[in-house]
Amino acid sequence: MPKRTAFLGKTLAAAGTAAALALATAVPAAAAEPTAVEQDVAQLYQYVIDLYNGLPADALRGVDRLIESPIPRIGPQSQAADGPIPGCTPGSLLTYANKLASQLTPLEGKALDALSGLSQLYVQGVASDKTPQVFGTDGQYTPRATTTIDKLRGFWDIESWNIQLVAWKGTDLGSQAKMVQTFSLGLAPAKVKTAAALATKVLYEVPAMQGGRNPLLTLNAFSAPAGSLGGKRVALGDGLLDTVDVLGFDDVSVESVVGHEYGHQVDFAHDNHPRNESAEMGPDAYGGYFVAHAKGFAWNARTQQEVIYLDAAIGDCYHSHGTPDQRKAAGAWGEKQATSQANPNRIIPSATMIEKFQKEYPKLMPPATAAARG
């Protein structure tokens, strides 16, 4: 408690109720001084801003997140056009994430913003699959994640040996060594150890962060190209997997999300960087093709349908990643390419798949939407 507040509290108690009321009305209220926690959060936020500002110019180039964050985010935003799209309802995953974010106080939101931005930099620029990766808050998704990435590396005809799959874990924020490595990416060296210690302090002094297990800290996944910080990788967030489980998609969560993010690697390999919704809908299509294909997971029609409903759950309404209906349509198109092949064992070359989807894409978009982002 600040000294001024403690002093006034003792004075009012000693003076009695009537005198206390008179004093309270006679003296103009002073602005409350920031609490120690508020000061810590504000300082950490500034450290993270400085860290991002100190990164190389191309550090975050091409990094594509699965969803637009439901909280204000440190770092570059998407180039979404003005919205929302009339008559569009966001997917269930975004709706749920926004509900979680709305329950945070401004202080909690600022702490989460800084810590989430920090944890993303760790998983992008420091983490490596040279150490064992544990997927899921309790490691429950590790076997599925490793099986999926192994299948994808053998499925698509792109250079794959150097595409890492790394676990995005909020609990990494509790490691001083990991935070020192992260701040060292762009913060002034003299501030690194202090900033790292403060990150861990804030993680535990703001109860809403749950020691790194608040799902909003890692409620996302992303794919990064060769030229960005840390090189080619797919990052899979624990918070995303937990949330997808809550929404009822646990049976297909890991395979669908990793398949989608690997789809970005397919685009990266062919220098395909669309400036419209096909940047996200294409990977939905490639992922759908993979899970339905005989040499992918060969999932049946019911499971394929669950995948496209998960695609829809991630849709937004801002000409950004595609609406729920558009993403569902993209995934369904990809699945159909696999199930309608004359030779079920043939894998369409990745360059051909990109070309085929780019021809199909305009048919999946309402006329007004197709021209919105050019």
Side-chain angles (χ1 to χ4, degrees):
M1 179 179 289
K3 293 181 180 178
R4 179 175 176 81
T5 305
F7 174 77
L8 285 177
K10 293 177 181 178
T11 301
L12 293 175
T17 303
L21 289 174
L23 180 61
T25 56
V27 180
E33 294 182 11
T35 65
V37 175
E38 289 171 335
Q39 293 178 38
D40 286 346
V41 170
Q43 182 60 68
L44 176 63
Y45 191 91
Q46 188 58 55
Y47 280 143
V48 177
I49 290 288
D50 293 344
L51 167 59
Y52 270 82
N53 288 338
L55 294 173
D58 61 351
L60 305 179
R61 181 181 64 83
V63 176
D64 216 318
R65 299 170 181 85
L66 184 66
I67 65 170
E68 284 300 305
S69 173
I71 59 170
R73 186 175 64 240
I74 292 172
Q77 308 295 304
S78 77
Q79 299 301 312
D82 291 338
I85 299 169
C88 174
T89 300
S92 58
L93 188 145
L94 282 177
T95 300
Y96 182 85
N98 278 307
K99 181 180 178 181
L100 292 180
S102 71
Q103 296 169 1
L104 298 174
T105 67
L107 175 66
E108 292 166 346
K110 192 168 187 176
L112 192 140
D113 185 10
L115 289 168
S116 182
L118 189 58
S119 69
Q120 179 183 318
L121 279 187
Y122 171 76
V123 75
Q124 184 185 343
V126 178
S128 169
D129 66 359
K130 291 183 173 65
T131 59
Q133 297 296 293
V134 178
F135 296 91
T137 52
D138 298 307
Q140 68 270 41
Y141 296 110
T142 301
R144 289 169 60 185
T146 54
T147 296
T148 301
I149 196 67
D150 286 346
K151 276 186 171 291
L152 283 161
R153 286 178 176 139
F155 186 83
W156 292 112
D157 58 345
I158 62 173
E159 184 181 62
S160 60
W161 66 270
N162 56 355
I163 300 174
Q164 298 191 59
L165 177 65
V166 290
W168 187 357
K169 310 186 79 64
T171 50
D172 285 333
L173 291 159
S175 166
Q176 285 285 291
K178 292 176 180 179
M179 291 305 97
V180 165
Q181 289 175 291
T182 306
F183 276 110
S184 295
L185 296 171
L187 193 64
K191 298 179 180 180
V192 166
K193 289 186 177 180
T194 300
L198 185 59
T200 302
K201 182 181 180 186
V202 168
L203 180 69
Y204 293 111
E205 73 179 348
V206 179
M209 298 304 98
Q210 302 172 34
R213 286 183 174 242
N214 184 314
L216 285 170
L217 285 166
T218 56
L219 206 165
N220 223 323
F222 67 82
S223 198
S228 66
L229 182 70
K232 294 196 287 187
R233 63 186 52 212
V234 168
L236 185 57
D238 284 355
L240 176 67
L241 294 175
D242 286 345
T243 300
V244 171
D245 182 18
V246 169
L247 296 176
F249 296 107
D250 186 61
D251 289 348
V252 300
S253 59
V254 176
E255 298 81 1
S256 296
V257 173
V258 177
H260 170 97
E261 295 303 331
Y262 201 93
H264 284 295
Q265 296 293 331
V266 170
D267 276 337
F268 297 155
H270 294 283
D271 200 24
N272 183 45
H273 304 283
R275 293 177 58 83
N276 53 34
E277 287 91 332
S278 69
E280 291 297 326
M281 293 167 60
D284 284 341
Y286 317 151
Y289 182 72
F290 167 70
V291 299
H293 198 281
K295 289 191 173 180
F297 278 109
W299 282 348
N300 61 28
R302 186 203 66 78
T303 312
Q304 290 173 31
Q305 185 177 50
E306 192 173 350
V307 172
I308 63 172
Y309 276 102
L310 176 54
D311 292 337
I314 299 168
D316 63 35
C317 294
Y318 288 89
H319 295 303
S320 172
H321 285 43
T323 68
D325 285 345
Q326 290 160 4
R327 298 197 67 164
K328 180 180 176 183
W333 178 86
E335 292 173 355
K336 185 178 180 181
Q337 303 313 297
T339 58
S340 63
Q341 291 184 170
N343 177 359
N345 291 315
R346 175 179 177 264
I347 300 175
I348 298 174
S350 56
T352 304
M353 177 60 78
I354 291 172
E355 182 181 358
K356 285 169 66 72
F357 180 74
Q358 287 299 322
K359 289 179 178 177
E360 180 68 18
Y361 168 70
K363 302 175 186 178
L364 305 178
M365 308 295 291
T369 304
R373 294 179 59 193

